[in-house]
Amino acid sequence: MAEIQFARGIAEPVIPDVRLTRAKDGSNGTATFYFDYPQALSENGVEVTGMYLVDEEGELVTREVNGKFINGEPAGIEAIYVMKSEADWDRFMRFMNRYAEKNGLGFTKS
């Protein structure tokens, strides 16, 4: 089980584009998620309260979530998850491996 939520208990079915950056010494890193036309923005009454990465180990949370709008219509969500230690990075990567396996995703190193 690995899913992304924008409101607790409601899984987001749209698969994001995820970009990772990491310091050369491994001391910190950033994951930037971009969701094109996420369901969370199209459902009435759903309040986006953050981005929750939920798996069997628990949950990772970020409040750095921004909606993108084109001509007043919801078009996307960008969320940034910051990792402040090597342990945070390792935990995030365990989540992403589970999420990728569940959704048939691959990893491309640039």
Side-chain angles (χ1 to χ4, degrees), residues 1-107:
M1 192 277 281
E3 61 187 28
I4 298 174
Q5 304 172 356
F6 290 110
R8 290 193 191 276
I10 302 172
E12 176 57 56
V14 173
I15 306 299
D17 178 40
V18 182
R19 308 221 182 241
L20 300 172
T21 59
R22 187 176 188 191
K24 288 186 186 232
D25 65 2
S27 61
N28 60 55
T30 303
T32 303
F33 292 76
Y34 189 78
F35 297 80
D36 276 324
Y37 300 97
Q39 190 173 347
L41 291 181
S42 64
E43 290 186 12
N44 293 331
V46 174
E47 182 180 349
V48 174
T49 57
M51 183 176 71
Y52 308 93
L53 311 176
V54 182
D55 65 8
E56 56 262 24
E57 286 185 58
E59 84 179 7
L60 305 170
V61 179
T62 182
R63 302 282 185 221
E64 203 168 329
V65 178
N66 296 301
K68 302 290 181 183
F69 294 84
I70 298 173
N71 296 326
E73 296 295 318
I77 290 178
E78 183 179 83
I80 299 172
Y81 181 75
V82 177
M83 295 152 277
K84 298 180 180 173
S85 70
E86 193 167 337
D88 287 352
W89 177 271
D90 291 341
R91 170 64 179 101
F92 174 78
M93 290 307 292
R94 287 193 306 274
F95 168 82
M96 285 306 296
N97 285 330
R98 289 180 185 113
Y99 187 77
E101 187 175 307
K102 177 185 175 195
N103 293 289
L105 305 176
F107 177 72

